[in-house]
Amino acid sequence: MCHPTANAVVVFSAGLEGRAGTTKASNGDQILVYNKMVINVGGGYDDSTGIFKVPIKGLYFVTFTCGKCYNYNMGAWVTKNNHDKLICVFDDNNGNSRITNSIVVEMEVGDDLRVFLENGHTILTTCIRTTFSVFLIKRM
């Protein structure tokens, strides 16, 4: 965890990559665990659980992108503290695509963010088309 200082930096960005090329949630909604870390300054992201825990109170920019696989439905969302759906994406067309959504949200120390894939839905995991990033904009 980051030690709160006036110049504290909190930034996390990772992608999801899998050998099969797709991930499907088949036993209920599934937390996505991003396994290709790009940066994790402040130590907020736990790559064993897929959960980002807020180390410093403030305004955070949250963004995620999901790669949609041909002929599969894709639905995913970000939750705050495992119950408030902040942002979501959904696509039921027949082509491959990538869909991104972003939000700015006020967070308290210990709040968490997680991305869920909807039960029965599939995302692409080749070439890191599915990503999750969070960064502190302003301390509060």
Side-chain angles (χ1 to χ4, degrees):
M1 288 289 197
C2 183
H3 297 289
T5 66
N7 298 322
V9 175
V10 178
V11 62
F12 146 74
S13 189
L16 183 60
E17 186 173 55
R19 293 183 147 226
T22 61
T23 293
K24 181 176 183 176
S26 55
N27 293 319
D29 300 335
Q30 174 184 326
I31 294 175
L32 295 177
V33 180
Y34 294 81
N35 58 357
K36 292 295 181 183
M37 191 69 61
V38 176
I39 191 167
N40 192 15
V41 176
Y45 184 72
D46 182 338
D47 63 358
S48 67
T49 64
I51 297 171
F52 177 84
K53 267 203 189 248
V54 174
I56 297 173
K57 180 180 177 178
L59 293 176
Y60 284 81
F61 181 81
V62 180
T63 188
F64 77 116
T65 298
C66 289
K68 192 230 178 257
C69 189
Y70 182 77
N71 274 349
Y72 291 95
N73 288 337
M74 187 276 300
W77 59 87
V78 176
T79 65
K80 177 181 175 184
N81 298 327
N82 201 24
H83 58 81
D84 296 330
K85 283 186 184 178
L86 297 177
I87 50 178
C88 59
V89 295
F90 181 79
D91 190 343
D92 61 358
N93 72 37
N94 290 327
N96 287 350
S97 62
R98 279 182 278 210
I99 303 168
T100 300
N101 205 343
S102 305
I103 193 169
V104 174
V105 62
E106 185 174 346
M107 305 287 288
E108 301 286 335
V109 172
D111 283 348
D112 68 62
L113 299 168
R114 28 187 123 189
V115 180
F116 282 89
L117 179 62
E118 186 173 347
N119 184 43
H121 289 223
T122 302
I123 56 169
L124 284 172
T125 57
T126 56
C127 302
I128 308 179
R129 292 183 177 125
T130 299
T131 60
F132 179 34
S133 301
V134 179
F135 65 86
L136 176 64
I137 298 171
K138 179 175 176 35
R139 287 182 56 135
M140 303 279 297

